[in-house]
C-alpha cells in the first residue's frame, strides 16, 4: 500500500496510485466479507521447501503479508504467533499444530502435473494431520503469489477458494 503511494508520488501519478490502492482495498474487503461468519480452518503455510522428505519446511508468522492474505481469506495461520517473520518449521511442531489445510507456495515454478502430485503426495508422510486425512493439501503456483504487489487481492481470492470452496467469492 505504501509502496504504491511512493511510486505514484515519484511518477507524479498520485491520483492513479490512490485509485489503485482503493481498488485493492475494496477487493480485499469483498473477499473478507464473502468468508465472514464461516468456520476458520487452521492453515499451515509453506513458503518454501527444498526436498521431498519434509525436512526443510519454511513458513511465516502473522506479520507476513502472506499470513495477512490467509486471514483475509478466512483462515488462521498455525504459526501466526511465532517470534520470527519467516522460520523453519519442524515436522514435530506441525503435527502438534494439526493444520486443517496446508497451502504450499511454488510461486512461478513450472511444475508438471506429475511434479505437483508428488509435492501433494509427500504429505502422506504425516497421515495424522487433518489436512492430509481430508485431502486439503494445495499448491499455489502463481508467479506473483509471494510478492506483495497490486495483485494481492487475486491471491486472497485463490486462498479463499481453497479454504472455502462453497463460498460465493467476488469474481474480479
Amino acid at each position: 500500500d505504501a509502496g504504491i503511494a511512493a511510486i505514484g508520488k515519484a511518477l507524479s501519478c498520485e491520483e492513479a496510485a490512490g485509485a489503485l490502492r482503493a481498488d485493492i482495498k475494496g477487493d480485499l474487503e469483498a473477499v473478507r466479507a464473502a468468508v465472514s461468519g464461516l468456520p476458520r480452518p487452521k492453515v499451515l503455510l509453506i513458503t518454501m521447501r527444498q526436498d521431498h522428505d519434509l525436512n526443510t519446511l519454511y513458513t511465516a508468522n502473522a506479520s507476513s503479508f502472506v499470513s495477512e492474505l490467509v486471514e483475509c481469506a478466512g483462515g488462521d495461520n498455525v504459526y501466526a504467533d511465532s517470534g520470527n517473520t519467516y522460520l523453519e518449521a519442524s515436522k514435530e511442531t506441525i503435527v502438534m499444530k494439526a493444520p486443517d489445510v496446508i497451502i504450499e507456495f511454488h510461486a512461478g515454478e513450472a511444475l508438471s502435473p506429475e511434479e505437483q502430485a508428488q509435492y501433494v503426495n509427500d504429505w502422506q508422510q504425516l497421515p495424522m494431520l487433518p489436512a492430509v486425512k481430508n485431502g486439503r493439501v494445495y499448491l499455489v503456483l502463481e508467479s506473483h503469489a509471494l510478492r506483495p504487489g497490486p495483485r494481492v487481492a487475486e491471491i486472497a481470492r485463490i486462498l479463499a477458494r481453497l479454504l472455502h470452496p462453497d463460498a460465493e467469492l467476488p469474481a474480479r
Side-chain angles (χ1 to χ4, degrees):
D1 192 38
I4 293 170
I7 292 169
K9 184 174 182 174
L11 298 175
S12 299
C13 300
E14 286 125 323
E15 190 173 316
L20 177 59
R21 291 170 63 208
D23 285 349
I24 294 169
K25 184 176 180 180
D27 289 348
L28 290 172
E29 287 305 318
V31 170
R32 192 180 311 279
V35 298
S36 70
L38 297 176
R40 298 182 66 82
K42 296 186 302 181
V43 180
L44 169 63
L45 298 170
I46 297 298
T47 56
M48 184 178 78
R49 72 168 156 129
Q50 298 174 348
D51 50 36
H52 289 282
D53 60 13
L54 302 182
N55 285 331
T56 311
L57 301 167
Y58 293 94
T59 189
N61 75 6
S63 65
S64 158
F65 88 95
V66 177
S67 185
E68 290 177 20
L69 291 179
V70 166
E71 186 276 326
C72 175
D76 293 323
N77 178 357
V78 296
Y79 282 96
D81 60 357
S82 173
N84 298 322
T85 304
Y86 296 98
L87 61 139
E88 187 172 349
S90 70
K91 288 188 277 191
E92 294 79 13
T93 59
I94 291 170
V95 169
M96 290 185 332
K97 291 179 180 292
D100 301 310
V101 177
I102 297 170
I103 297 176
E104 187 170 328
F105 289 88
H106 289 270
E109 295 180 36
L111 300 176
S112 70
E114 295 79 19
E115 290 169 317
Q116 291 177 49
Q118 178 61 53
Y119 277 109
V120 171
N121 288 335
D122 290 344
W123 288 97
Q124 293 301 319
Q125 297 169 54
L126 299 174
M128 72 293 296
L129 296 179
V132 175
K133 284 182 192 175
N134 297 316
R136 300 208 62 200
V137 177
Y138 306 110
L139 304 182
V140 176
L141 304 176
E142 282 71 12
S143 64
H144 53 282
L146 293 175
R147 278 188 249 135
R151 296 184 285 183
V152 294
E154 175 191 339
I155 300 305
R157 277 191 301 280
I158 289 168
L159 296 174
R161 279 189 205 101
L162 296 175
L163 299 178
H164 301 287
D166 297 328
E168 290 189 36
L169 295 164
R172 193 163 201 197

